[in-house]
Amino acid sequence: MESRADLYVNMSVSNHKPNLADHFLTRRDFLARCGMGLGLLGLANLVGPQILGAVPAVGGLNVDSPLAPRASQFPGKAKRVIHIFANGGPSHVDTFDPKPSLAKFHGQPLPMEYLATERRTGAAFQSPFKFKKYGQSGIEVSDLFPHVGECIDDIAVIRSMYADVPNHEPSLLLMNCGEARLPRPSMGSWVTYGLGTENQNLPGFISICPGGYPIQESQNWQSAFLPGIYQGTYINTEFKEIEKLIEHIKNKFVSQDEQRQQLDLLRELNEQHARRRAQDAQLEARIQSFELAYRMQIDATDAFDVSREPEAVQKLYGSGAQARQLLIARRLLERGVRFVQVWHGPGQPWDNHDDLEDGHRKLALESDQAIAALLKDLKQRGMLNDTLVIWGGEFGRTPTVELPTPGSNAGRVNGRDHNHYGFSMWLAGGGVKGGYVHGATDEFGFKAVEKPVHVHDLHATILQLLGFDHTKLTFRHAGRDYRLTDVYGNVVKELLA
C-alpha cells in the first residue's frame, strides 16, 4: 500500500509536468499566479494594453501603436515637415543675404572688431555672385538660386540666425537635437513622438542622403531617450533600385503569409520576453521595427519608385541625386510620412574653405531647380499650406577670406571660414508668412544684429506651427522633463502668417 507521501509524489508527477519556465518566476509572474491572477488585473490598469499583449484597433488602425496619429496640443497650420539640410554651412552672404559693403571694402580689413571663428581670416571678401530682386516682395536672392528666387513670395527668409560655436559637430547636433554636447532626441523624433504618423506602413521619420552619412552620422536623427521607434530611418538615395535603397525589402524565399506567421510567432515570443523584463524600451523598439519592416514591403516599394511619376513632373525636378531624393521626399510626405530630412550629401559638402565660388556654384546647380520644383509641386497639389519646408545649414560663413593654414585648407585664399554669429535660413508653407525677411546681420554679414533668432527660437517656432507649445512637449527621463528647446527658446511670431 502506497504511503501518503508516495501518493503525493505520484500525483505531482502525473498531474503537473515539469515546466522549465516555472524555475524563473519574476515578480510579474508571481502577481499573475497569486490569487488567480487578481494581482495582474490591477497591474493591467497601470501598464496599459500594449505591454500585456492586447492590440485594440479602430478602423483597422492599432490605436495603441506608438506611431498612431495623435492630435497636437492646439490646431497647427503644418501637418508634416521636410527639412532640406545644406550640410557643411552655406555662405549666407553668397545666397540670401546681400552685402554691398563687402564689395566696397574687398581686399581691405573690415572697419570693425573681428569675431573669433574656427580659423584665421583676413580681408573683406566680396561675393562672386550677383543678387537680384524676385517676386512681388522684391526680396534679393543671389544668382546661385534663380529657381528658388521664383518662389520667394512663398518663403520667409531669416537673415538673423545664430548658433553657439563655429564647429560642425556641436552645431549639427544643436540644429538637429537642440543640444550641442549631450545625447538628445532629434527634432524629427520629437515631432513623431508628438504627432505620430499617418501611414503605419512607413517610418514616421525618414532621413535621406545620397552616397553615405553626413558627419555625426545617425546622431543627427537619433531618438536618444525617446522610444526607439521614433528614431529616423536612414535611406541612401544614391541608388535607384528599391532592393539597394532598402536592403532586404523583398523576401525571395517565403510568401507574405508565411512571413506573417513567422512574425506572429516571433512577436509572441518577444512579448513573453518583454513581460519578464519590466517593459524594456529597447526590446519594445525591436518588436516594433520587425512589424514595420514587414508592413513596408508594399508601401516602400511604391513610395521610392520615382519612375511612376508623370514625365512632366520628373522634368520639373530635373536630373541627378538631389532631384531624385526631393521627389522621393514629396512622395513620402504624400503617403503620410510625418518628417523627412533631406541631406545634400555625405560629409559636409557646403564646407567651402577653398574654391568657394566653384564649390557653391556646383552645389546650388545640383539643388536649385529641384528645391523650387518641390515648392511648386506641393503648391499645385494643395499640400504647401500644411507642409512646412525648411532650408539651411548648421551655420553660415565669414564675410572675410580664410587665410592659408597648413593641414586645414589648400591655401588658395578664395574661401570662407565657419560663422555661427549670423547666418540665413528660410521657411516656406505650413503657416509661414511668405515674401518676408526677418532680421538682419551687420552691414558686412558677420553678426546678427536685428531681431536675432537662436536655433532654440527656430525650434520653438517650428513646434508652434505644428500645434505645440514647445515648453509643454516634454518627456520624463532621469528625473526631469526634457524638451527639444531645453530651457530656452521663444516663438518668432513675426514668421507666422
Side-chain angles (χ1 to χ4, degrees), residues 95-407:
T95 52
F96 296 97
D97 191 5
K99 295 299 176 183
S101 293
L102 287 180
K104 178 181 177 181
F105 285 88
H106 180 69
Q108 304 173 45
L110 292 179
M112 62 176 289
E113 179 184 358
Y114 276 48
L115 301 172
T117 56
E118 186 180 62
R119 304 177 186 182
R120 295 184 308 123
T121 64
F125 183 25
Q126 70 178 348
S127 177
F129 310 106
K130 304 299 181 183
F131 282 78
K132 174 184 173 182
K133 292 183 178 181
Y134 286 89
Q136 294 182 351
S137 58
I139 297 174
E140 291 184 89
V141 179
S142 89
D143 57 17
L144 284 175
F145 288 101
H147 292 91
V148 173
E150 295 173 359
C151 304
I152 201 66
D153 288 337
D154 292 316
I155 291 173
V157 180
I158 308 172
R159 287 180 175 166
S160 54
M161 288 295 305
Y162 72 102
D164 294 341
V165 293
N167 311 103
H168 290 290
E169 292 82 356
S171 295
L172 281 166
L173 292 180
L174 179 66
M175 185 62 71
N176 283 298
C177 307
E179 163 59 52
R181 297 166 297 278
L182 301 173
R184 295 288 185 268
S186 60
M187 177 165 52
S189 296
W190 278 111
V191 172
T192 49
Y193 164 66
L195 290 175
T197 187
E198 295 177 347
N199 189 336
Q200 302 300 296
N201 297 335
L202 290 169
F205 172 23
I206 296 178
S207 188
I208 58 181
C209 181
Y213 290 104
I215 59 172
Q216 295 301 98
E217 301 184 347
S218 61
Q219 283 183 289
N220 292 299
W221 49 86
Q222 66 188 331
S223 61
F225 47 72
L226 288 180
I229 194 67
Y230 300 118
Q231 176 158 315
T233 297
Y234 167 73
I235 303 292
N236 185 347
T237 47
E238 177 184 25
F239 304 108
K240 297 180 181 179
E241 300 85 359
I242 185 65
E243 291 84 357
K244 292 183 178 179
L245 274 168
I246 308 173
E247 289 187 277
H248 313 300
I249 190 63
K250 295 180 180 179
N251 192 322
K252 301 178 181 179
F253 305 102
V254 296
S255 68
Q256 283 203 319
D257 287 342
E258 291 173 315
Q259 288 181 63
R260 182 69 266 169
Q261 293 174 4
Q262 291 176 353
L263 276 175
D264 287 343
L265 174 60
L266 183 60
R267 181 178 184 86
E268 183 180 346
L269 294 172
N270 280 333
E271 287 179 344
Q272 290 179 13
H273 190 64
R275 285 195 293 270
R276 294 180 179 277
R277 280 153 183 80
Q279 194 179 353
D280 186 297
Q282 292 185 342
L283 180 58
E284 180 60 30
R286 181 67 61 86
I287 295 172
Q288 294 289 343
S289 69
F290 288 151
E291 291 291 331
L292 179 59
Y294 170 76
R295 298 194 302 269
M296 281 178 63
Q297 292 179 84
I298 296 176
D299 281 37
T301 300
D302 172 68
F304 286 90
D305 187 0
V306 297
S307 67
R308 303 186 185 192
E309 289 287 329
E311 183 179 349
V313 173
Q314 296 185 50
K315 185 176 180 181
L316 178 68
Y317 280 79
S319 60
Q322 301 306 314
R324 185 169 64 253
Q325 68 173 358
L326 283 168
L327 185 49
I328 287 173
R330 193 226 74 207
R331 291 174 64 83
L332 291 170
L333 294 173
E334 196 174 34
R335 286 157 177 76
V337 174
R338 187 69 71 184
F339 196 106
V340 181
Q341 191 171 49
V342 182
W343 297 79
H344 193 103
Q348 46 208 42
W350 284 89
D351 190 28
N352 295 148
H353 291 276
D354 297 286
D355 301 324
L356 180 135
E357 181 176 2
D358 292 342
H360 269 42
R361 196 176 294 282
K362 172 181 178 293
L363 296 164
L365 186 63
E366 291 171 352
S367 57
D368 173 47
Q369 179 181 343
I371 294 171
L374 174 71
L375 295 174
K376 295 173 183 177
D377 199 7
L378 290 173
K379 192 171 185 177
Q380 72 181 14
R381 293 169 187 271
M383 292 176 62
L384 187 59
N385 288 339
D386 55 9
T387 301
L388 178 61
V389 183
I390 307 165
W391 181 92
E394 62 269 37
F395 42 54
R397 308 204 79 81
T398 57
T400 49
V401 71
E402 182 170 328
L403 297 176
T405 304

Side-chain angles (χ1 to χ4, degrees), residues 401-414:
V401 71
E402 182 170 328
L403 297 176
T405 304
S408 296
N409 58 35
R412 298 193 178 98
V413 199
N414 60 357

